[in-house]
Amino acid sequence: MAADRDSDSGQLRVPMLVLTGFLGAGKTTALNRVLGALRPGGRRVALLVNDLGRVNVDASLLASRGSDLIELSGGCVCCKVDLQVDLWRGIHDLIARTRPDHVVLETTGIAEPAALLEGLGTPGNAGLTPAGVVTVVDAEVGAGLLETRAEARAQAEVADRVLLSKLDLAAPEAALATRRALAAAAPEAELA
């Protein structure tokens, strides 16, 4: 799905993907792989990276590959109202300025993306089209996190697609337990 114009209003509509996952799940690694697969001169992707610290560690790990990048440090955009306002204002400014084909928001590891999805549906965000939620889950520790951490469970529950990470490091029984936990938490999500 790429940016297109709304047939009724003529307004540019840009798909926005939310990339989420608990702390250390591998969101930035997954995003770097996607960015690495983009062809030069191909689709333009606007990246928004949300981090809780004063220094945005994830943004420094991203190889943006010529995409536009906005760093959102100092709080979780799903929780803090002033950051939500900055988020939507920043996205709309970025769309108007650079006309990306896609917008990708990489959330903090403790984000609850349902609040972001609610904000995406507000009238002020008419230029954005939800493109889905991809939740990255660590295959080794995912089952335990889904059981003990409300944030991890909330991230899985809103997922359209779940990406299991670190399968090469996970014990087979741990990966199986994570798959079972995901089947219970996100039965409608596509598991990749």
Side-chain angles (χ1 to χ4, degrees):
M1 175 187 289
D4 63 357
R5 295 223 177 258
D6 184 289
S7 59
D8 294 330
S9 69
Q11 181 178 17
L12 187 66
R13 301 202 38 90
V14 180
M16 181 172 150
L17 177 80
V18 176
L19 177 66
T20 193
F22 199 71
L23 298 165
K27 297 178 297 296
T28 303
T29 300
L31 188 54
N32 271 327
R33 287 188 179 167
V34 169
L35 292 174
L38 294 176
R39 294 184 314 267
R43 291 186 175 162
R44 291 182 44 83
V45 178
L47 302 174
L48 296 108
V49 178
N50 184 211
D51 198 29
L52 285 171
R54 290 159 104 195
V55 175
N56 193 334
V57 174
D58 281 353
S60 69
L61 296 175
L62 271 171
S64 68
R65 316 267 188 227
S67 298
D68 293 300
L69 174 65
I70 293 177
E71 298 176 41
L72 302 164
S73 296
C76 178
V77 294
C78 67
C79 304
K80 293 181 74 176
V81 173
D82 57 339
L83 277 176
Q84 282 189 21
V85 170
D86 289 345
L87 168 70
W88 300 123
R89 188 178 299 135
I91 291 172
H92 289 291
D93 177 59
L94 187 64
I95 289 171
R97 193 170 29 87
T98 65
R99 304 280 188 205
D101 296 309
H102 300 276
V103 173
V104 176
L105 169 62
E106 179 189 351
T107 70
T108 67
I110 58 169
E112 294 183 13
L116 290 170
L117 297 174
E118 288 173 17
L120 187 55
T122 62
N125 294 321
L128 295 169
T129 300
V133 176
V134 175
T135 302
V136 181
V137 177
D138 183 324
E140 177 70 28
V141 298
L145 290 173
L146 289 167
E147 184 178 319
T148 61
R149 298 300 304 235
E151 302 95 338
R153 188 162 188 83
Q155 292 165 357
E157 289 173 345
V158 298
D160 296 298
R161 175 176 286 171
V162 175
L163 175 63
L164 279 179
S165 65
K166 306 179 187 179
L167 281 165
D168 56 332
L169 304 173
E173 57 277 358
L176 181 59
T178 297
R179 286 179 186 275
R180 286 183 182 143
L182 286 167
E188 301 297 316
E190 179 184 340
L191 185 59

